[in-house]
Amino acid sequence: MRYKIKHSYTLIEILAVLAIAGILLGMALPAFEKLTKSNRVDAASTAIGSAISLARAQAIGNRRYVAEVIPATTANGNADLQPYIYKGYRLCFVNHTGNNYVFDAWLPD
C-alpha cells in the first residue's frame, strides 16, 4: 500500500509570509500615495488649462472679456458663490472699467 503524503504549511510559515507581505506593503504605500497625489495635481492643472482655453474661445467668439473664477473656501456671504465652493472653476463675463474688471454674468454651463 502506498500512503499519500500531505504537504501543508505550518502556522509559522504562514505568519512569516504575512509578515514579509506586510513589510513590503508598508514600504510601497508611501510611494503609491505620492504617485496618486502627483496624478491629482496633473489632472487639476490639465483642467485649469482646458478652462483657460475655453475662456479664450468664449472671449473671442462673444467679443467680450471672460474670466475664470476659482472660488475660495468660503463664500463670505455671497449667495451666488455658495453653490460653487469646493466645486472647481466657473467662467463668467466681465466688464473692463478703468483698471478693474467687474462681474457681469455667468457663462452658460
Side-chain angles (χ1 to χ4, degrees):
M1 257 191 195
R2 291 188 175 183
Y3 293 102
K4 289 187 177 182
I5 300 173
K6 275 184 133 178
H7 295 286
S8 59
Y9 299 106
T10 65
L11 182 61
I12 293 174
E13 290 172 331
I14 293 171
L15 289 176
V17 168
L18 288 175
I20 291 170
I23 290 169
L24 291 175
L25 183 63
M27 291 170 52
L29 196 60
F32 182 72
E33 185 178 333
K34 184 178 179 182
L35 178 68
T36 57
K37 282 183 183 178
S38 174
N39 287 345
R40 282 186 273 164
V41 169
D42 289 344
S45 65
T46 300
I48 290 175
S50 297
I52 290 171
S53 296
L54 178 62
R56 181 176 180 191
Q58 288 287 336
I60 292 169
N62 293 309
R63 296 185 180 196
R64 295 179 68 184
Y65 291 106
V66 175
E68 179 179 0
V69 178
I70 301 174
T73 56
T74 62
N76 293 329
N78 189 341
D80 289 339
L81 289 180
Q82 191 66 39
Y84 303 105
I85 294 175
Y86 301 117
K87 302 276 189 200
Y89 63 89
R90 180 93 193 253
L91 298 177
C92 66
F93 291 116
V94 292
N95 293 323
H96 183 67
T97 57
N99 293 333
N100 296 326
Y101 292 91
V102 179
F103 173 83
D104 183 32
W106 293 112
L107 262 77
D109 287 337

